[in-house]
Amino acid sequence: MNILLELLQGFGLTLLLFAITLVMAIPLGLLIAFCSMSKFKVLSVLSRGFVWIIRGTPLLLQILAISFVPSFVFGIPNKAIYVGLGITLSTLNFIFVAIAFFINYACYFSEIFRGGIESISKGQYEAGQVLGMTKRQIFFNIVLLQVVKRIMPPMSNEIITLVKDTSLARTLAVAELYFVAAEAVNIHVSLMPLVYAGLFYLLFNGLLTILFGKIEKKLSYFRS
Amino acid sequence: MPLLTVENITKRFDNLEVLKGIDFTLEKGEVLAIIGSSGSGKTTLLRCLNFLEKPDTGLIKVGDEVLFDAEDNTTFSDENIRLKRLHFGLVFQNFNLFPQHTALQNIEIPQRLLLDSEIKKLKQDHRQYRKSKKLPIRQYFDCLIEQKAQRSQYREDRLIDIKDKSLRLLDRVGLADRADYYPYQLSGGQQQRVAIARALALNPDVLCFDEPTSALDPELTGEVLKVIKGLKSKDSTMIVVTHEMKFAQEVADKVIFMADGVIEEIGTPDEVFNHPKSPKTQAFLANSLE
Ligand SMILES: Nc1ncnc2c1ncn2[C@@H]1O[C@H](COP(=O)(O)OP(=O)(O)O)[C@@H](O)[C@H]1O
Ligand SMILES: [Mg+2]
């Protein structure tokens, strides 16, 4: 019973990381998508280059890299930061992990957003334009919902991958679900904690799958 | 005075000169049919009139208002163009209805969004007014509340008008019973008729059609052509690019035959169809009769 409680705590941290990543990565991803599509060549090249680097290297590496940034780039040891901010080392590590996660996922999302936006036919924009709409109005009233509908399948895939990726947070000893389960295996000399952890992931992803199914169904009232 | 004046419009894409100096005028209530083989620049001309393309040279005038003058850069800012576009309507070859909106909503939404812009402007004016009066705080807020109520009343009234008007337009294109259908539930001919109603809803001075029936199955072109014919009146000025020669002959007051980016021949339907002067026109007509 004790084990389950510990696992539940780990799962809480998993959920927190999941939620922070989603909430931050969606708007940031949209911003990156717009930069990548920008008419200003410099901006779009920089943005696409950045996305290329992030998508081309392991998240694990990015987590470590982020945790090295303060000391190696700014010459401030991590200890100085968490003492200075009055937080614990594990909180600081969690912050590093969260930053790496949302930057990484923002890049993946941005490619999905860009693909979705670019897949909308030029005719939709032009129809809006000749009907006197502003660019904003066209985006929010005409294009957005069509994009949302188109990107739902790849977004659900990515979000389900995110659930499983949260276990990479253990790299900085963040006590998320997998980390807790692996420790419990050592302490209790039993494989059960890992089985339970697997069930947690499975259950949560099951719920997400149902949710995405509902959203896709809701958007099935039109075709484009 | 002509309703529409087009002078020396030219347009090139990279090395391709697509329009090589187009001039014509159109009186109010006239229907102009533009014919010509594919690639002759018909679509590009309509797109220039609707400011989807920026002509390289030339002048576009509606009444005595200059909408576009290539010499004068100030006429081509984003917000300027948006308002100028409202003088023209464009019905596309492939309809371009908004798939997530019903037939009725497709007609309503451009009007609603214009209303939104108008109310936003009204809100600014109201704020200006409040500030200029230098009211004591209590009266200031009373005024604010009253203005807000005024605006929301205005909005409600207008939304009712918009809905009425949109339903009437749907009726006019013969689709009163399809108001709540989504585009994918309509045939091509029905979709195009919704698109026509949508364009009409903004009361453009000149309504342009770019081959409105060429994306349709042959058995559906009739219903669309009939609707367009039915729009002809002394107040509605139209430009129709079409391959339907019989239709052009029946409905047009003026016909332009375009070839390689120039107006090869212009005249009444009788002149152009029955007594074409240019050999190119003769060849084109002979071809299209086959
Ligand atoms: N955006 C564009 N970029 C480059 N070439 C274009 C573009 N739009 C049209 N053209 C070219 O201009 C010519 C005229 O096209 P268009 O106006 O569509 O002719 P039409 O409608 O009479 O068939 C064609 O050769 C076409 O390939
Ligand atoms: Mg064309």
Side-chain angles (χ1 to χ4, degrees):
Chain A
M1 214 53 242
N2 222 344
I3 299 177
L4 266 185
L5 219 62
E6 275 172 42
L7 289 179
L8 214 55
Q9 253 175 23
F11 187 56
L13 214 51
T14 294
L15 279 184
L16 185 64
L17 180 57
F18 172 80
I20 290 176
T21 306
L22 265 195
V23 168
M24 301 291 284
I26 288 177
L28 184 62
L30 205 56
L31 185 73
I32 295 175
F34 280 123
C35 290
S36 295
M37 291 184 292
S38 167
K39 270 181 256 167
F40 301 106
K41 263 271 151 336
V42 183
L43 188 59
S44 82
V45 166
L46 280 178
S47 173
R48 283 172 198 225
F50 181 68
V51 171
W52 180 70
I53 292 171
I54 296 292
R55 298 212 313 164
T57 54
L59 176 53
L60 201 64
L61 202 77
Q62 291 161 18
I63 295 171
L64 288 175
I66 291 277
S67 71
F68 289 144
V69 163
S71 37
F72 281 76
V73 180
F74 299 108
I76 307 165
N78 285 345
K79 181 154 190 187
I81 298 177
Y82 67 77
V83 171
L85 289 176
I87 55 179
T88 60
L89 173 60
S90 50
T91 307
L92 181 66
N93 280 338
F94 182 83
I95 292 172
F96 285 143
V97 166
I99 292 173
F101 263 80
F102 79 70
I103 290 177
N104 180 280
Y105 272 83
C107 287
Y108 278 93
F109 289 169
S110 81
E111 287 295 278
I112 295 177
F113 296 158
R114 187 164 71 87
I117 292 172
E118 286 177 347
S119 77
I120 303 300
S121 82
K122 232 175 77 205
Q124 291 289 304
Y125 292 93
E126 291 182 345
Q129 282 176 307
V130 297
L131 292 163
M133 298 180 196
T134 63
K135 282 192 175 138
R136 267 186 92 83
Q137 288 176 332
I138 294 173
F139 184 75
F140 286 106
N141 295 278
I142 306 302
V143 174
L144 187 58
L145 195 63
Q146 296 183 51
V147 172
V148 170
K149 182 182 166 95
R150 281 190 199 184
I151 66 174
M152 271 322 286
M155 280 301 278
S156 355
N157 275 336
E158 212 52 58
I159 290 171
I160 283 172
T161 305
L162 167 61
V163 173
K164 295 176 286 182
D165 270 358
T166 51
S167 61
L168 291 174
R170 70 180 183 277
T171 328
L172 294 188
V174 169
E176 45 67 50
L177 181 56
Y178 181 87
F179 183 87
V180 174
E183 294 230 300
V185 166
N186 283 334
I187 295 166
H188 301 277
V189 203
S190 152
L191 279 178
M192 282 324 276
L194 281 179
V195 174
Y196 291 140
L199 285 176
F200 269 90
Y201 287 116
L202 201 58
L203 206 71
F204 186 49
N205 274 334
L207 285 176
L208 286 177
T209 307
I210 291 171
L211 179 71
F212 292 133
K214 283 230 159 90
I215 296 176
E216 281 181 41
K217 184 127 187 270
K218 200 150 193 154
L219 289 173
S220 69
Y221 75 91
F222 73 92
R223 288 181 203 164
S224 73
Chain B
M1 183 176 43
L3 177 73
L4 173 65
T5 309
V6 173
E7 274 172 24
N8 190 35
I9 293 290
T10 64
K11 176 73 191 172
R12 71 165 52 239
F13 293 112
D14 302 320
N15 290 324
L16 187 67
E17 199 171 12
V18 177
L19 298 177
K20 302 172 184 165
I22 301 291
D23 298 87
F24 67 87
T25 61
L26 206 55
E27 298 295 327
K28 187 166 183 176
E30 276 188 326
V31 176
L32 166 68
I34 302 181
I35 57 173
S37 46
S38 121
S40 56
K42 306 180 299 294
T43 298
T44 306
L45 176 59
L46 291 191
R47 290 173 61 83
C48 284
L49 291 180
N50 283 276
F51 305 105
L52 291 175
E53 305 286 354
K54 184 182 177 188
D56 299 325
T57 70
L59 185 94
I60 299 171
K61 239 165 64 173
V62 168
D64 51 11
E65 184 185 352
V66 175
L67 296 187
F68 175 76
D69 180 356
E71 315 275 274
D72 178 5
N73 271 326
T74 56
T75 52
F76 227 77
S77 79
D78 265 6
E79 182 60 12
N80 248 336
I81 292 169
R82 189 177 71 82
L83 297 173
K84 285 170 184 196
R85 278 200 181 106
L86 294 173
H87 289 282
F88 294 90
L90 178 60
V91 173
F92 298 86
Q93 196 169 337
N94 51 356
F95 336 131
N96 289 329
L97 290 185
F98 306 130
Q100 74 272 39
H101 297 299
T102 62
L104 178 63
Q105 290 166 343
N106 261 277
I107 304 173
E108 283 183 320
I109 198 161
Q111 305 174 76
R112 278 166 170 262
L113 293 176
L114 281 177
L115 177 62
D116 283 352
S117 305
E118 193 188 326
I119 286 179
K120 213 161 140 190
K121 175 103 201 333
L122 194 62
K123 198 168 167 182
Q124 281 168 5
D125 293 350
H126 278 172
R127 184 182 303 138
Q128 280 286 325
Y129 173 83
R130 283 199 312 271
K131 285 204 171 138
S132 70
K133 294 280 271 191
K134 299 211 181 332
L135 298 167
I137 190 103
R138 183 67 203 271
Q139 272 103 318
Y140 182 90
F141 280 105
D142 287 347
C143 177
L144 187 147
I145 288 164
E146 196 190 312
Q147 286 175 331
K148 207 176 156 113
Q150 217 178 333
R151 285 200 303 271
S152 80
Q153 184 61 49
Y154 175 68
R155 181 161 187 276
E156 256 170 55
D157 294 347
R158 284 290 307 278
L159 283 178
I160 293 171
D161 294 345
I162 288 174
K163 182 161 190 190
D164 280 352
K165 181 177 187 182
S166 306
L167 284 169
R168 256 184 288 122
L169 283 166
L170 264 183
D171 190 37
R172 192 154 162 211
V173 298
L175 292 172
D177 55 340
R178 293 288 188 273
D180 297 327
Y181 283 52
Y182 286 93
Y184 82 93
Q185 298 167 315
L186 299 170
S187 74
Q190 291 171 330
Q191 289 187 52
Q192 190 61 299
R193 286 188 276 152
V194 174
I196 293 172
R198 181 176 72 174
L200 283 172
L202 299 184
N203 306 319
D205 293 316
V206 182
L207 182 52
C208 306
F209 297 82
D210 189 10
E211 301 194 28
T213 59
S214 45
L216 300 177
D217 294 336
E219 70 270 19
L220 298 177
T221 59
E223 61 187 66
V224 172
L225 295 180
K226 205 174 115 202
V227 164
I228 298 173
K229 225 183 273 182
L231 298 178
K232 199 176 147 95
S233 79
K234 65 179 194 338
D235 300 316
S236 68
T237 313
M238 299 192 275
I239 301 179
V240 189
V241 170
T242 184
H243 286 306
E244 303 281 339
M245 296 304 153
K246 192 164 147 282
F247 167 77
Q249 200 158 1
E250 281 169 18
V251 80
D253 303 294
K254 206 180 239 181
V255 178
I256 284 178
F257 170 66
M258 270 181 79
D260 297 323
V262 298
I263 295 182
E264 182 71 21
E265 189 148 353
I266 181 165
T268 64
D270 185 49
E271 286 164 356
V272 175
F273 286 110
N274 301 329
H275 313 285
K277 293 190 202 79
S278 148
K280 279 191 191 167
T281 319
Q282 290 161 6
F284 174 78
L285 288 173
N287 247 324
S288 65
L289 282 179
E290 273 166 16

